[in-house]
Short mmCIF file of all heavy atoms in Angstrom, two decimals:
data_model
loop_
_atom_site.label_atom_id
_atom_site.label_comp_id
_atom_site.label_asym_id
_atom_site.label_seq_id
_atom_site.Cartn_x
_atom_site.Cartn_y
_atom_site.Cartn_z
N TYR A 821 90.48 80.53 95.46
CA TYR A 821 91.66 80.23 96.25
C TYR A 821 91.93 78.73 96.38
O TYR A 821 92.81 78.30 97.12
CB TYR A 821 91.53 80.80 97.68
CG TYR A 821 91.43 82.31 97.80
CD1 TYR A 821 91.04 82.90 99.01
CD2 TYR A 821 91.72 83.14 96.74
CE1 TYR A 821 90.95 84.27 99.15
CE2 TYR A 821 91.62 84.52 96.86
CZ TYR A 821 91.24 85.08 98.06
OH TYR A 821 91.15 86.44 98.19
N VAL A 857 85.86 77.04 101.90
CA VAL A 857 85.83 76.88 103.36
C VAL A 857 84.38 76.81 103.86
O VAL A 857 83.43 77.01 103.10
CB VAL A 857 86.65 77.98 104.08
CG1 VAL A 857 88.13 77.82 103.79
CG2 VAL A 857 86.16 79.37 103.74
N PHE A 859 82.24 78.54 105.73
CA PHE A 859 81.19 79.57 105.63
C PHE A 859 80.64 79.64 104.20
O PHE A 859 79.49 80.05 103.99
CB PHE A 859 81.69 80.95 106.10
CG PHE A 859 82.60 81.67 105.16
CD1 PHE A 859 82.11 82.33 104.06
CD2 PHE A 859 83.97 81.73 105.39
CE1 PHE A 859 82.96 83.02 103.18
CE2 PHE A 859 84.82 82.41 104.54
CZ PHE A 859 84.30 83.05 103.42
N MET A 860 81.44 79.24 103.22
CA MET A 860 80.98 79.28 101.83
C MET A 860 79.95 78.18 101.61
O MET A 860 78.90 78.41 100.98
CB MET A 860 82.16 79.09 100.87
CG MET A 860 83.15 80.20 100.99
SD MET A 860 84.59 79.93 99.96
CE MET A 860 85.49 81.43 100.36
N GLY A 882 87.72 75.53 108.02
CA GLY A 882 87.00 76.73 108.47
C GLY A 882 87.70 77.98 107.96
O GLY A 882 88.53 77.93 107.08
N CYS A 883 87.34 79.10 108.58
CA CYS A 883 87.98 80.36 108.21
C CYS A 883 88.37 81.08 109.51
O CYS A 883 87.50 81.39 110.33
CB CYS A 883 87.00 81.23 107.42
SG CYS A 883 87.52 82.94 107.30
N PRO A 884 89.65 81.33 109.70
CA PRO A 884 90.08 81.99 110.96
C PRO A 884 89.39 83.33 111.18
O PRO A 884 89.10 83.70 112.31
CB PRO A 884 91.59 82.18 110.76
CG PRO A 884 91.98 81.20 109.70
CD PRO A 884 90.77 80.98 108.84
N MET A 885 89.13 84.06 110.09
CA MET A 885 88.46 85.35 110.29
C MET A 885 87.02 85.16 110.78
O MET A 885 86.58 85.85 111.70
CB MET A 885 88.46 86.17 109.00
CG MET A 885 87.70 87.48 109.15
SD MET A 885 88.16 88.68 107.94
CE MET A 885 87.33 88.09 106.50
N ASN A 919 82.12 86.53 104.68
CA ASN A 919 83.09 85.66 105.36
C ASN A 919 82.80 85.61 106.86
O ASN A 919 83.54 86.16 107.69
CB ASN A 919 84.53 86.18 105.11
CG ASN A 919 84.85 86.30 103.64
OD1 ASN A 919 83.94 86.31 102.80
ND2 ASN A 919 86.10 86.37 103.30
N CYS A 1005 91.67 88.96 108.23
CA CYS A 1005 92.06 87.75 107.48
C CYS A 1005 93.58 87.59 107.58
O CYS A 1005 94.32 88.42 107.04
CB CYS A 1005 91.63 87.90 106.02
SG CYS A 1005 92.45 86.67 104.97
N PRO A 1006 94.05 86.52 108.24
CA PRO A 1006 95.49 86.35 108.40
C PRO A 1006 96.24 86.24 107.06
O PRO A 1006 97.41 86.57 106.98
CB PRO A 1006 95.62 85.04 109.19
CG PRO A 1006 94.27 84.81 109.79
CD PRO A 1006 93.28 85.47 108.88
N VAL A 1007 95.53 85.79 106.03
CA VAL A 1007 96.15 85.66 104.72
C VAL A 1007 96.47 87.03 104.13
O VAL A 1007 97.55 87.29 103.60
CB VAL A 1007 95.24 84.86 103.76
CG1 VAL A 1007 95.79 84.80 102.36
CG2 VAL A 1007 95.03 83.45 104.31
N HIS A 1008 95.52 87.96 104.25
CA HIS A 1008 95.72 89.30 103.69
C HIS A 1008 96.50 90.23 104.63
O HIS A 1008 97.01 91.25 104.20
CB HIS A 1008 94.37 89.90 103.29
CG HIS A 1008 93.78 89.22 102.08
ND1 HIS A 1008 92.92 88.15 102.18
CD2 HIS A 1008 94.03 89.42 100.76
CE1 HIS A 1008 92.63 87.74 100.94
NE2 HIS A 1008 93.28 88.48 100.08
N GLU A 1033 90.66 93.30 102.01
CA GLU A 1033 90.90 92.74 103.36
C GLU A 1033 92.31 93.10 103.86
O GLU A 1033 92.66 92.78 104.99
CB GLU A 1033 90.73 91.21 103.34
CG GLU A 1033 89.30 90.75 103.19
CD GLU A 1033 89.19 89.26 102.95
OE1 GLU A 1033 90.13 88.52 103.27
OE2 GLU A 1033 88.15 88.82 102.43
N GLU A 1069 95.48 85.75 97.74
CA GLU A 1069 95.91 84.36 97.98
C GLU A 1069 96.71 83.78 96.81
O GLU A 1069 96.38 84.01 95.64
CB GLU A 1069 94.67 83.51 98.25
CG GLU A 1069 94.92 82.36 99.18
CD GLU A 1069 95.32 81.09 98.48
OE1 GLU A 1069 95.21 81.03 97.24
OE2 GLU A 1069 95.77 80.16 99.16
N CYS A 1093 96.21 80.38 101.90
CA CYS A 1093 95.18 80.18 102.92
C CYS A 1093 95.20 78.68 103.30
O CYS A 1093 94.80 77.83 102.50
CB CYS A 1093 93.80 80.57 102.39
SG CYS A 1093 92.54 80.24 103.63
N THR A 1095 93.45 76.87 105.30
CA THR A 1095 92.20 76.13 105.41
C THR A 1095 91.59 75.87 104.03
O THR A 1095 91.01 74.79 103.80
CB THR A 1095 91.19 76.84 106.35
OG1 THR A 1095 91.07 78.19 105.95
CG2 THR A 1095 91.65 76.76 107.79
N MET A 1096 91.75 76.80 103.11
CA MET A 1096 91.31 76.52 101.73
C MET A 1096 92.07 75.32 101.20
O MET A 1096 91.53 74.50 100.45
CB MET A 1096 91.66 77.73 100.83
CG MET A 1096 90.72 78.87 101.01
SD MET A 1096 89.26 78.61 100.02
CE MET A 1096 88.44 80.19 100.28
S1 SF4 B 2462 91.59 83.80 102.74
FE1 SF4 B 2462 91.15 84.75 104.74
S2 SF4 B 2462 88.95 85.17 104.76
FE2 SF4 B 2462 89.37 83.69 103.08
S3 SF4 B 2462 89.05 81.69 104.03
FE3 SF4 B 2462 91.24 82.12 104.21
S4 SF4 B 2462 91.40 83.11 106.24
FE4 SF4 B 2462 89.24 83.14 105.72
#
Side-chain angles (χ1 to χ4, degrees):
Y821 297 168
V857 293
F859 75 78
M860 297 176 180
C883 165
M885 176 159 76
N919 304 17
C1005 165
V1007 175
H1008 289 92
E1033 289 171 20
E1069 211 270 348
C1093 177
T1095 51
M1096 284 277 186

